[in-house]
Amino acid sequence: MKMPKPEQSILDQLPELTKRLTSLLGQEGIVTSEYGLKAFESDGLTAYRQSPMIVALPNTTSQVSEILKICNELNIKVVARGAGTSLSGGALPLADGLTLGLSRLNRILEIDYVNRCAVVECGVTNLGITDAVCEKGFYYAPDPSSQIACTIGGNVAENSGGVHCLKYGLTTNNILGIKLVLLSGEILEIGGKYQQESGYDLLGLLTGSEGLLGIITEVTVQILPKPETARAMLIGFSDVENAGACVSKTIAAGIIPAGMEMMDNIAINAAEDFCHPGYPRRAAAILIAEFDGVASEVDYFIDRVSNIAKELNATSIAVSNTEQERDGFWAGRKAAFPAVGRISPDYYCMDGSIPRRKLPEILQKMNDLSEHYGLKVANVFHAGDGNLHPLILYDANKPGELENAEEFGAEILKLCVEMGGALTGEHGVGVEKRDLMHEMFTEADLNQQERLKCAFDPNHRLNPGKMFPALHRCAELGKIHVHGGKLLFPDIPRF
Amino acid sequence: MTNVYFPETTNDVSEIIGDNIISGQKVEVRTNGSLINLGQKMATDSILSLKKFDQITSYEPEELVITLGPGVKLSELVNMLAKYNQELRFEPPDYGPLFGNQKDMGSIGGIIGCNLSGPKRFLGGGARDFILGVEGVSGYGKTFKSGGKVVKNVTGYDISKLMAGSYGTLGALTEFTLKLSPIPEAEISFLVHGLNDKQAIQLMSRIAMSPIETSGLAHLPMNIAKTISQGSATTILRLEGASVSIKERSDAILKLINKYSFSLRETEESKFIWSVICNVAPTHPPADKPLWKICVPATYAPDLINHHKPDFYYFDWAGGLIWMASDEIPKIENGAYWLIRTPEGDPSIYPFTNIKDAATNMIMTKVKKAFDPKNILNPRRLGG
């Protein structure tokens, strides 16, 4: 993975930068020692590591603003970091960059139950929001698997999803406002405790912008009343095609579960070995479907999905009757990644997304690729919304195996795009899929995205090397080229 | 005489915009034009109509996804989807009649371009939440696409959201991909009579805070409520879903409203009431006053009305949306407004919308420039 070449002129600024940051934040607000910087050298994508030049740990939005002003003046690159759980290398540091650690902005500023929202600082964890509002029967809906650790600021930057986004949407559908600090240090309030903002949808643009446009320091999130009942189904199938068909038929019947997950046989057995959730070991695939709402509605949909599953020759159908049972069904799914980590020295987690009906087809093709590369794959899907998480099993200590796994992963993502899907469903582009962007977008498409980048950060100081396969100069992108400067058919009146 | 272009291909659009880049002439981007009076008045040299982009490119009901051109008529789309028991969950409104046009003239392009959403918005999101991808031509004369055709996709900036509500100022969109939803099996509405604004907001908030999922919470004061019921202010609560679920939730609602006078409206009657609330038109807002759409925290809604004391107003989105006819610009500190309809005569004294501050305005200007450097597409449509 090639990153932008460190700029000597930036490295030369380190003493001045350190002096100014120390004066702003004190010794406790910066990290400069080699040992201390090690802690920040990677995020959830641990295959890539790089110590940052320096780390700043602000406590407030105004400190963030001051830091950015300094960086802007000294031309320093800035990489924002929440809890460092990104799976695409979004928070991978730069050798000539400042890592802006935002975990100390972790206050819940306001909970407004009547207007069903909460204002929190960016470093509050995803689960921390739900913990703060659950006593009144509320919760924050997006639930990425890392929710115990990941921060809401990171969730906004990556537009994180989770198991329940099938019914409740991604981060972008669950937030109302942000406080945004531009590289110039200017602080913008976008949206707030109301449903729709005026002007361009900057909130929508900033969500999923991966730290390339500005730093988000506060978020106004929507909170929802917790559904009265939630029950889960665990359905086993002897072949993967029928499991896939069950997902398609359920959705086509107008039934939208709160979540609908699929695991294949390797993942099932890894989970069984790891935490014994009681999954059918011989099943080729299992589905976990959850329904929430009032009790009668939940029962009604469970009946309907049971019938669909039976028609498709499900080998087992279990329905949770208690919270304990429901948690039990989920335990194996939630622990799927560490469980797979136990059966292989390393794994590489992919995140493509496809039209639901293509599930069986892509599984078949992944099997072929698995044989071709000589690497096993465990499959865990957010099947209801066509988001795949193939885990490629490899051993980084075997020479060439990481590169082999990366190549295999890239092939899977290309397949996703070929099938009408996307490179990333919820993990973001980061460094991981940066060089694959051309699979999905033309040069012209990417240029338009880059022009937006230029509107916020014309010198590519914010998280450079992420998302875009090449960094073009903004002046060049801004030029207008029109068919050789000639009007086409200037004399013809057009009606 | 104003030139009107009716391009049929993306390439045509690109050439027309390219011509205008060179000549420096301003272009009005529209589809059918039923909302052409929505937004700040513009001076343009020609009209680029996208009405010939009126095809459904792909629709696979089992994927709950549709790809279509901006010129597809909304009414035809809604009817077609209904055959497959699907709908646009954000309940797109028809504001055509507000502007003196026939109903059902509008196209999906106007809905997306203006990010217009109906009563269900407070529950499941607005038009912007249902856009999965777009293709179009920018003010550079270049085609661009963003997003895709699958429900879950975070690849690159979410330009699709930026396009929703940009009023054609960032590009001429030639194709959208939208997320669809199943039509709920059944619907009913409860009408609670005689509450004042504050009581209505309290009741709606209480219900919105409970696990009884409602897909509509609106309040019409007495003079407006005449359109749908008789004699008194009316608070309307809508339930949708499977019949068994509606029954259980109705029982829960009854516990909250049984101390008030109330009545029940089923299926078609319920649909009629919500179309009135959604489309504003049948409530007859006075034509001689500016008509404002205002988004605020619901708890602030009664104060706002108290301040302006308008003759015409009502609440939707559980109080988070206020429709108000008033000569005064809405007095809000925390929220957004849009001037939906200007009074007869010179409307220029009123801003179309509120932009929070100079820094926000600056970044929006830069965003505009990133798509339309010569400011030729719907110039000043959004004000500013």
Side-chain angles (χ1 to χ4, degrees):
Chain A
M1 179 57 55
K2 218 172 138 195
M3 293 304 283
K5 206 173 147 224
E7 295 174 30
Q8 189 57 44
S9 60
I10 297 179
L11 297 170
D12 292 343
Q13 297 274 21
L14 183 58
E16 174 66 15
L17 178 66
T18 310
K19 195 179 94 188
R20 292 213 208 168
L21 290 177
T22 311
S23 131
L24 177 70
L25 304 169
Q27 283 294 345
E28 68 283 2
I30 59 168
V31 180
T32 53
S33 71
E34 192 184 333
Y35 179 72
L37 291 173
K38 272 265 169 210
F40 295 88
E41 71 176 6
S42 77
D43 55 17
L45 183 65
T46 50
Y48 304 123
R49 290 167 196 273
Q50 168 64 56
S51 277
M53 180 171 77
I54 187 169
V55 175
L57 300 167
N59 281 302
T60 63
T61 297
S62 71
Q63 285 180 346
V64 172
S65 163
E66 290 304 318
I67 293 167
L68 291 180
K69 276 183 203 164
I70 294 168
C71 290
N72 194 26
E73 189 192 328
L74 300 177
N75 212 27
I76 308 288
K77 297 173 185 171
V78 179
V79 178
R81 179 186 173 101
T85 57
S86 166
L87 291 168
S88 58
L92 179 71
L94 298 168
D96 59 346
L98 170 136
T99 286
L100 186 59
L102 295 157
S103 53
R104 290 183 181 173
L105 282 92
N106 61 358
R107 287 153 287 235
I108 289 176
L109 302 174
E110 187 189 353
I111 299 173
D112 182 344
Y113 290 109
V114 180
N115 291 306
R116 302 172 307 287
C117 59
V119 185
V120 303
E121 288 187 327
C122 59
V124 172
T125 61
N126 172 294
L127 200 56
I129 301 174
T130 294
D131 286 345
V133 299
C134 66
E135 58 167 2
K136 297 262 170 123
F138 282 80
Y139 76 113
Y140 174 64
D143 57 345
S145 297
S146 56
Q147 67 180 152
I148 192 168
C150 64
T151 64
I152 186 68
N155 288 180
V156 175
E158 301 292 333
N159 192 12
S160 305
V163 165
H164 288 90
C165 61
L166 177 57
K167 181 172 175 186
Y168 294 100
L170 297 158
T171 302
T172 191
N173 311 112
N174 285 277
I175 63 171
L176 299 171
I178 51 173
K179 189 173 269 188
L180 173 74
V181 189
L182 300 175
L183 185 61
S184 61
E186 277 176 299
I187 301 168
L188 302 188
E189 301 255 6
I190 298 166
K193 288 161 57 174
Y194 47 97
Q195 302 257 328
Q196 193 176 328
E197 179 62 302
S198 52
Y200 295 135
D201 190 351
L202 297 178
L203 184 62
L205 174 63
L206 264 295
T207 309
S209 63
E210 304 197 13
L212 272 79
L213 301 181
I215 306 297
I216 293 147
T217 60
E218 275 179 34
V219 187
T220 304
V221 299
Q222 265 182 333
I223 51 172
L224 302 177
K226 198 163 174 263
E228 190 185 281
T229 313
R231 291 174 77 191
M233 306 174 73
L234 178 65
I235 312 170
F237 289 91
S238 59
D239 65 82
V240 172
E241 282 74 18
N242 278 346
C246 186
V247 176
S248 291
K249 289 202 166 182
T250 298
I251 307 280
I255 303 166
I256 309 284
M260 195 166 202
E261 302 287 301
M262 184 166 157
M263 291 165 73
D264 72 358
N265 185 267
I266 296 182
I268 292 168
N269 281 291
E272 266 307 296
D273 291 341
F274 183 67
C275 60
H276 326 295
Y279 293 167
R281 278 187 184 271
R282 293 173 64 189
I286 55 164
L287 292 179
I288 306 171
E290 182 164 292
F291 292 92
D292 61 16
V294 291
S296 55
E297 179 180 327
V298 170
D299 292 348
Y300 171 74
F301 285 124
I302 285 177
D303 269 359
R304 288 187 62 190
V305 175
S306 294
N307 288 334
I308 294 172
K310 280 177 199 156
E311 279 168 22
L312 291 162
N313 305 318
T315 48
S316 63
I317 301 177
V319 180
S320 72
N321 287 310
T322 62
E323 275 300 280
Q324 207 180 357
E325 279 177 14
R326 184 172 75 94
D327 289 345
F329 288 179
W330 281 114
R333 167 62 188 90
K334 290 195 171 169
F337 289 13
V340 168
R342 221 168 131 255
I343 60 168
S344 172
D346 297 284
Y347 67 84
Y348 190 33
C349 172
M350 308 309 296
D351 172 45
S353 118
I354 53 163
R356 272 179 286 263
R357 67 182 185 288
K358 304 266 188 177
L359 266 176
E361 188 182 340
I362 199 159
L363 280 169
Q364 184 53 51
K365 290 193 170 161
M366 276 200 280
N367 275 341
D368 298 346
L369 284 170
S370 172
E371 275 177 33
H372 174 80
Y373 284 98
L375 296 172
K376 278 190 174 178
V377 185
N379 275 301
V380 181
F381 308 130
H382 301 304
D385 44 26
N387 188 190
L388 317 172
H389 290 318
L391 304 171
I392 302 171
L393 313 186
Y394 72 100
D395 182 351
N397 288 325
K398 290 188 185 159
E401 204 152 89
L402 167 64
E403 290 73 18
N404 220 9
E406 284 179 327
E407 203 181 308
F408 182 4
E411 288 302 317
I412 293 175
L413 295 184
K414 285 179 195 170
L415 267 179
C416 290
V417 176
E418 265 172 40
M419 289 183 177
L423 287 176
T424 169
E426 58 180 359
H427 293 172
V429 177
V431 288
E432 189 200 17
K433 297 149 205 124
R434 182 192 70 187
D435 296 336
L436 293 171
M437 286 290 267
H438 282 299
E439 297 294 329
M440 206 166 140
F441 296 112
T442 64
E443 188 67 16
D445 298 335
L446 287 175
N447 285 348
Q448 188 50 56
Q449 301 208 24
E450 287 177 84
R451 284 187 197 106
L452 262 177
K453 163 75 170 166
C454 293
F456 287 80
D457 175 26
N459 296 319
H460 295 297
R461 294 296 98 175
L462 293 173
N463 222 4
K466 316 288 169 70
M467 197 190 284
F468 296 112
L471 292 178
H472 293 104
R473 286 176 49 233
C474 288
E476 183 56 37
L477 289 165
K479 283 186 186 156
I480 299 169
H481 305 276
V482 186
H483 21 259
K486 284 193 197 114
L487 279 173
L488 287 172
F489 322 116
D491 310 327
I492 302 172
R494 302 182 197 234
F495 297 99
Chain B
M1 191 170 150
T2 308
N3 272 352
V4 184
Y5 304 102
F6 293 105
E8 293 182 21
T9 66
T10 306
N11 213 23
D12 292 346
V13 178
S14 188
E15 287 185 5
I16 293 164
I17 292 179
D19 285 356
N20 285 279
I21 292 170
I22 294 167
S23 67
Q25 296 204 320
K26 311 288 185 195
V27 189
E28 179 186 302
V29 182
R30 60 156 79 168
T31 38
N32 275 352
S34 71
L35 297 175
I36 208 60
N37 288 315
L38 181 60
Q40 199 92 348
K41 293 280 169 292
M42 311 181 285
T44 52
D45 303 296
S46 59
I47 293 169
L48 196 168
S49 165
L50 296 161
K51 70 189 295 180
K52 292 198 172 167
F53 289 82
D54 60 354
Q55 299 299 307
I56 291 171
T57 320
S58 69
Y59 173 41
E60 277 150 34
E62 73 273 24
E63 295 290 332
L64 290 170
V65 167
I66 191 166
T67 302
L68 72 179
V72 172
K73 274 206 173 167
L74 183 63
S75 54
E76 288 169 14
L77 175 63
V78 167
N79 290 337
M80 191 277 288
L81 293 175
K83 286 186 195 148
Y84 295 90
N85 211 25
Q86 294 183 0
E87 66 172 7
L88 295 164
R89 197 88 240 263
F90 57 93
E91 212 171 359
D94 180 8
Y95 294 157
L98 265 186
F99 298 105
N101 298 313
Q102 294 288 316
K103 65 179 193 148
D104 295 338
M105 294 293 289
S107 60
I108 189 70
I111 295 293
I112 299 301
C114 304
N115 188 24
L116 301 176
S117 315
K120 284 184 202 177
R121 200 232 180 279
F122 87 99
L123 172 70
R128 55 90 78 179
D129 293 288
F130 290 82
I131 304 174
L132 302 174
V134 294
E135 287 190 32
V137 181
S138 71
Y140 278 85
K142 304 280 186 203
T143 56
F144 67 91
K145 69 170 180 294
S146 157
K149 297 181 180 179
V150 285
V151 288
K152 215 158 160 202
N153 177 9
V154 296
T155 320
Y157 296 134
D158 198 347
I159 289 179
S160 311
K161 293 226 166 33
L162 197 56
M163 290 296 147
S166 66
Y167 285 73
T169 59
L170 300 179
L173 297 185
T174 52
E175 192 175 280
F176 314 114
T177 298
L178 303 175
K179 181 178 162 180
L180 304 169
S181 306
I183 293 180
E185 276 179 30
E187 80 167 75
I188 59 164
S189 290
F190 291 89
L191 275 58
V192 178
H193 305 286
L195 303 190
N196 66 29
D197 292 351
K198 217 164 194 168
Q199 290 170 320
I201 296 283
Q202 273 168 1
L203 176 65
M204 291 192 290
S205 299
R206 196 159 163 216
I207 291 170
M209 288 165 72
S210 79
I212 315 164
E213 190 184 274
T214 46
S215 69
L217 288 170
H219 174 73
L220 277 51
M222 193 164 67
N223 61 334
I224 314 297
K226 279 186 301 205
T227 333
I228 56 154
S229 65
Q230 291 159 2
S232 61
T234 306
T235 313
I236 309 118
L237 329 167
R238 175 171 58 185
L239 294 177
E240 288 180 302
S243 303
V244 282
S245 155
I246 288 191
K247 190 174 177 310
E248 189 175 346
R249 285 182 291 151
S250 292
D251 292 344
I253 289 267
L254 286 171
K255 282 184 191 147
L256 295 173
I257 64 169
N258 60 12
K259 61 180 168 182
Y260 305 116
S261 148
F262 68 88
S263 53
L264 196 63
R265 299 285 187 279
E266 295 192 54
T267 323
E268 289 309 315
E269 280 184 311
S270 171
K271 284 187 201 305
F272 168 73
I273 290 172
W274 286 100
S275 77
V276 168
I277 294 164
C278 183
N279 299 334
V280 191
T283 54
H284 306 298
D288 61 342
K289 286 189 192 306
L291 177 66
W292 305 96
K293 172 184 167 182
I294 306 161
C295 287
V296 287
T299 43
Y300 180 65
D303 292 344
L304 182 79
I305 294 307
N306 218 10
H307 176 83
H308 291 288
K309 300 191 170 50
D311 290 331
F312 176 93
Y313 71 94
Y314 67 87
F315 305 130
D316 194 359
W317 300 355
L321 170 65
I322 302 160
W323 288 95
M324 172 177 97
S326 168
D327 289 325
E328 298 168 331
I329 295 171
K331 188 181 182 307
I332 53 171
E333 280 169 18
N334 191 9
Y337 64 71
W338 295 263
L339 175 58
I340 296 298
R341 190 171 71 181
T342 49
E344 286 142 17
D346 181 13
S348 59
I349 52 167
Y350 297 106
F352 168 59
T353 188
N354 62 325
I355 300 297
K356 234 170 218 165
D357 50 36
T360 306
N361 195 43
M362 176 62 78
I363 205 76
M364 286 194 186
T365 306
K366 286 181 180 174
V367 167
K368 162 80 170 164
K369 220 174 158 185
F371 284 90
D372 181 19
K374 295 192 82 178
N375 192 29
I376 56 171
L377 304 176
N378 284 0
R380 296 198 66 242
R381 186 67 156 162
L382 278 168

